[in-house]
């Protein structure tokens, strides 16, 4: 037990929990926290230019390290500015702690027009947090932060929030820190494992759908071992890219809006094992589980199981323990028949032909990137045309190397998330793919990149349009273009004005530009002019 201010209690608790960096924006209600950062070397404070970036950077940091990321903001507008980023982390099951200010204790809930006041602040972010709490006294601060951390390390990781009023942050009180609890991993129920293994072993054509939960649980090795034991192909969501090396003989790549090699395989499967995925709308059409297929659903979050498709067997467990148990049980006897590998090869060839037909230019760009990027590169796939096509065309061979905004599809997330990813993985190349529309959301953070020497590479595809919406107008609305054209500055010049490296290149020389950026190691913007192309979700899936 020790006497300290509320602000010191926040910082001491963060240090105790192993936090190394906080992404923040100061303001009067949180200045006691800032003051407690003064003169201590344990935690670096990085100041950004808009609160959206606090939570985006925390998210990027969390995705590459697997450790919670921490954002610090003022109440009201600070919290509101951060909330789309929290929503993105919520969609992607990423652990982000939002430390938020509040109005003075005596003003909370009074609607008196106190500075930065918002009524029912926590209600505004409850839909994008797993857990949130206000610490009313100094002794409540450490338990609140420690519980937030526990919530993010146990079960499904999702954002949390802790808020403290400025009078509490300035007050003195007794603070007790307890040892962080080791994560309790939830094991699957044995009888269900036995039945699931029996179904998988007896299947004529078993198929595995792997989602982001596999990577979060660190269950890649178990996934590949189970697939190999069964001879079952593995399709993934885009969040799960890399949980099986995508050049593995059993990897089908990403299934997305009815497209992908999986769309040929999935309809033929008789038993489907879904693991760490909600089976959301990207599983529509040919990829979706269907009668009379048997669905076995393994997920740490029991509310996900059977939500979108009825599951014959539910396994509410940690993905690694669940897959391990299934593997042990499957190995008891030889499986009935592996999926003929020649068929899987044909499906991948069909996908390649489809890609060359539908998006040859985008595929060429992605392959140029692939040619110069080492496997450990973190690619942050933005809401932009080339990034959608990279779901299929980019070959991810390692986990935690490909970041998406999941079903939130948050325009503007890619660059600030990449900044946080680079802070978490300074020795790996981090590349953000973004459109000209999306980059503008957080463009001023080029100053943050330069200030802290965060050597991210941003590839901006410039079609002078909100391309996906513009293409929608051409295909669905008879070319009635309204509100989808953009006027842009030269992004390469803008980068230079900020003190970053700026390169403009035609798509044909993108690999050279990228190599130059990799060699330089500084924050770099590569501007690539392109036409507007059709995204995969605006192309009708082929019926087979
Ligand atoms: C926060 C948010 N606002 C709006 C959208 C809708 N939206 C999806 S793609 C898109 C256009 C993006 O334009 P750009 O970044 O230039 O990429 P492009 O489609 O041109 O490749 C828009 C407006 C979104 N996904 N997220
Ligand atoms: Mg665009």
């Amino acid at each position: 037990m020790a006497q300290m201010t509320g602000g010191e209690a926040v910082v001491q608790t963060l240090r105790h929990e192993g936090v190394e960096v906080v992404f923040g924006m100061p303001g009067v209600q949180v200045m006691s926290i800032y003051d407690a950062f003064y003169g201590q070397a344990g935690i670096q404070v990085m100041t950004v230019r808009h609160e959206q970036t606090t939570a985006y950077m925390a998210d990027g940091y969390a995705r590459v390290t697997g450790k919670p990321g921490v954002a610090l903001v003022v109440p009201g507008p600070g919290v509101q500015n951060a909330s789309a980023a929290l929503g993105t982390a919520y969609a992607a099951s990423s652990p982000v702690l939002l430390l938020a200010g509040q109005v003075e204790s005596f003003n909370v809930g009074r609607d008196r027009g106190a500075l930065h006041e918002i009524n029912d602040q926590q209600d505004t972010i409850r839909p994008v947090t797993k857990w949130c709490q206000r610490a009313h006294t100094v002794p409540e601060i450490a338990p609140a932060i420690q519980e937030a951390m526990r919530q993010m390390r146990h079960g499904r990781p999702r954002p949390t929030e802790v808020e403290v009023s400025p009078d509490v942050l300035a007050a003195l009180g007794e603070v007790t820190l307890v040892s962080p609890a080791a994560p309790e991993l939830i094991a699957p129920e044995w009888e269900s494992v036995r039945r699931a293994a029996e179904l998988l072993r007896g299947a004529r054509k078993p198929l595995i759908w792997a989602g982001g939960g596999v990577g979060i649980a660190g269950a890649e090795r178990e996934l590949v071992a189970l697939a190999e034991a069964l001879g079952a192909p593995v399709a993934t969501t885009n969040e799960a890219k890399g949980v099986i090396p995508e050049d593995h003989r059993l990897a089908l790549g990403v299934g997305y809006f009815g497209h992908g090699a999986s769309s040929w395989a999935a309809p033929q499967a008789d038993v489907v094992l879904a693991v760490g995925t909600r089976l959301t709308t990207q599983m529509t059409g040919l990829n979706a589980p269907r009668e009379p297929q048997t669905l076995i659903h393994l997920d740490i979050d029991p509310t996900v199981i059977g939500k979108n498709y009825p599951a014959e067997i539910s396994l509410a467990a940690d993905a690694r323990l669940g897959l391990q148990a299934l593997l042990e049980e499957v190995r008891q006897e030889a499986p009935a028949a592996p999926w003929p590998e020649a068929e899987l090869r044909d499906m991948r060839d069909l996908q390649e032909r489809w890609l060359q037909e539908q998006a040859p230019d985008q595929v060429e760009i992605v392959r140029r990137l692939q040619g110069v990027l080492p496997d450990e590169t973190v690619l942050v796939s933005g809401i932009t045309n080339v990034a959608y096509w990279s779901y299929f065309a980019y070959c991810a061979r390692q986990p935690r190397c490909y970041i998406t905004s999941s079903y939130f599809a948050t325009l503007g997330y890619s660059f600030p998330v990449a900044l946080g990813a680079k802070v978490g993985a300074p020795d790996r190349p981090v590349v953000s793919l973004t459109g000209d529309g999306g980059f503008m959301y957080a463009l001023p953070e080029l100053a943050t990149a330069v200030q802290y020497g965060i050597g991210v590479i941003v590839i901006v595809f410039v079609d002078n349009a909100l391309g996906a919406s513009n293409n929608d107008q051409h295909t669905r609305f008879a070319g009635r273009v309204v509100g989808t054209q953009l006027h842009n500055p030269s992004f390469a010049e803008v980068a230079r004005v900020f003190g970053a490296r700026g390169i403009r290149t035609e798509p044909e020389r993108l690999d050279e530009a990228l190599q130059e950026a990799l060699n330089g190691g500084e924050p770099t913007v590569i501007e690539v002019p392109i036409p507007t192309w059709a995204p995969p979700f605006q192309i009708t899936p082929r019926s087979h």
Side-chain angles (χ1 to χ4, degrees):
M1 199 130 83
Q3 270 266 327
M4 59 182 83
T5 67
E8 287 164 350
V10 170
V11 173
Q12 289 306 321
T13 312
L14 294 177
R15 289 188 63 165
H16 190 70
E17 291 285 330
V19 172
E20 296 163 330
V21 55
V22 169
F23 307 100
M25 175 67 90
V28 64
Q29 291 102 336
V30 294
M31 293 317 288
S32 294
I33 301 179
Y34 272 81
D35 189 58
F37 282 126
Y38 185 80
Q40 57 80 49
I43 298 177
Q44 187 182 7
V45 179
M46 287 191 172
T47 297
V48 299
R49 302 307 196 270
H50 184 293
E51 284 90 355
Q52 64 171 341
T53 306
T54 65
Y56 280 137
M57 283 186 79
D59 183 11
Y61 175 89
R63 302 261 206 126
V64 296
T65 62
K67 297 193 287 191
V70 181
L72 171 58
V73 297
V74 297
V79 170
Q80 302 253 291
N81 279 341
S83 71
L86 279 189
T88 308
Y90 187 83
S93 301
S94 178
V96 171
L97 168 62
L98 184 74
L99 287 171
Q102 244 299 2
V103 297
E104 305 81 356
S105 301
F106 60 86
N107 268 332
V108 175
R110 307 284 293 272
D111 198 18
R112 289 163 123 183
L115 181 76
H116 300 332
E117 179 178 21
I118 182 169
N119 274 335
D120 306 321
Q121 175 162 284
Q122 285 185 330
D123 287 352
T124 70
I125 51 149
R126 223 178 288 281
V128 289
T129 50
K130 177 179 180 181
W131 183 90
C132 49
Q133 192 163 84
R134 182 149 69 92
H136 299 85
T137 63
V138 177
E140 284 180 22
I141 291 174
I145 293 175
Q146 290 204 282
E147 176 59 17
M149 290 292 186
R150 196 193 70 80
Q151 289 278 347
M152 293 190 288
R153 292 183 183 127
H154 289 67
R156 183 180 192 176
R158 282 187 139 172
T160 56
E161 185 248 23
V162 172
E163 58 183 49
V164 195
S165 290
D167 47 303
V168 179
L169 290 173
L172 277 174
E174 293 292 339
V175 174
T176 308
L177 293 165
V178 296
S179 300
E184 301 146 18
L185 294 182
I186 298 164
E189 194 259 314
W190 196 250
E191 179 52 22
S192 303
V193 171
R194 201 194 51 73
R195 283 175 49 228
E198 204 173 293
L199 280 168
L200 286 167
R201 254 196 329 250
R204 198 177 38 79
K205 285 194 163 174
L207 177 120
I208 301 176
W209 266 106
V214 174
I216 292 167
E220 298 86 359
R221 204 174 303 165
E222 289 75 6
L223 173 79
V224 174
L226 180 64
E228 286 173 354
L230 289 165
V234 180
T236 76
T237 64
N238 49 36
E239 292 163 79
K241 255 179 101 67
V243 296
I244 177 169
E246 290 189 295
D247 47 6
H248 188 286
R249 63 192 161 84
L250 292 170
L252 288 175
V254 166
Y256 180 67
F257 283 95
H259 299 299
S262 56
S263 68
W264 285 281
Q268 298 180 41
D270 54 342
V271 179
V272 175
L273 168 65
V275 49
T277 170
R278 283 161 290 231
L279 303 170
T280 57
T281 45
Q282 62 192 6
M283 314 282 293
T284 46
L286 296 164
N287 286 325
R290 65 194 57 216
E291 292 282 335
Q293 285 173 342
T294 309
L295 177 64
I296 302 163
H297 203 160
L298 165 60
D299 202 285
I300 188 69
D301 182 351
T303 69
V304 156
I305 298 176
K307 183 174 261 183
N308 290 327
Y309 299 95
E312 174 78 21
I313 299 183
S314 332
L315 295 166
D318 171 73
R320 195 165 57 76
L321 296 187
L323 289 170
Q324 181 72 46
L326 283 170
L327 181 62
E328 279 166 29
E329 209 42 38
V330 160
R331 278 184 176 154
Q332 299 293 319
E333 281 170 51
W339 200 307
E341 276 183 34
E343 283 185 22
L344 301 179
R345 261 197 310 278
D346 286 349
M347 290 174 202
R348 284 194 293 264
D349 291 349
L350 272 172
Q351 164 167 306
E352 186 59 27
R353 282 209 292 279
W354 170 77
L355 276 176
Q356 293 299 345
E357 247 169 55
Q358 297 290 339
D361 299 321
Q362 297 96 310
V363 171
E364 192 184 332
I365 288 176
V366 172
R367 303 262 156 92
R368 278 184 193 281
L369 300 179
Q370 185 108 50
V372 282
L373 292 174
D375 281 353
E376 72 269 19
T377 300
V378 179
L379 197 65
V380 187
S381 180
I383 302 303
T384 191
N385 193 285
V386 173
Y388 311 136
W389 288 103
S390 79
Y391 298 160
F392 307 108
Y394 186 76
C395 178
R397 299 188 184 91
Q398 291 182 16
R400 292 196 186 276
C401 280
Y402 191 93
I403 296 178
T404 75
S405 51
S406 184
Y407 65 82
F408 226 48
T410 331
L411 192 57
Y413 94 102
S414 170
F415 170 46
V417 164
L419 286 172
K422 185 69 180 173
V423 171
D427 300 329
R428 292 160 62 189
V430 176
V431 177
S432 157
L433 302 183
T434 181
D436 43 0
F439 187 36
M440 285 292 206
Y441 275 59
L443 184 127
E445 304 298 354
L446 282 171
T448 309
V450 172
Q451 181 170 347
Y452 297 106
I454 307 171
V456 289
I457 300 169
V458 188
I459 303 179
V460 193
F461 295 102
V462 181
D463 64 347
N464 295 313
L466 297 164
S469 311
N470 181 270
N471 190 69
D472 210 8
Q473 290 172 337
H474 282 290
T475 51
R476 278 200 304 149
F477 298 94
R480 291 155 61 88
V481 170
V482 53
T484 58
Q485 286 156 325
L486 297 175
H487 166 75
N488 287 306
S490 154
F491 290 102
E493 265 180 55
V494 168
R496 284 180 223 124
V497 168
F498 275 92
R501 185 182 289 239
I503 305 171
R504 185 182 159 91
T505 181
E506 297 302 315
E508 297 74 38
R509 309 193 66 175
L510 180 53
D511 37 5
E512 288 165 42
L514 187 54
Q515 191 60 59
E516 181 188 332
L518 287 168
N519 295 345
E522 354 156 35
T524 303
V525 174
I526 304 176
E527 175 182 359
V528 189
I530 55 157
T532 296
W533 288 306
F537 47 80
Q538 287 169 10
I539 291 173
T540 312
R542 186 170 303 176
S543 54
H544 307 300

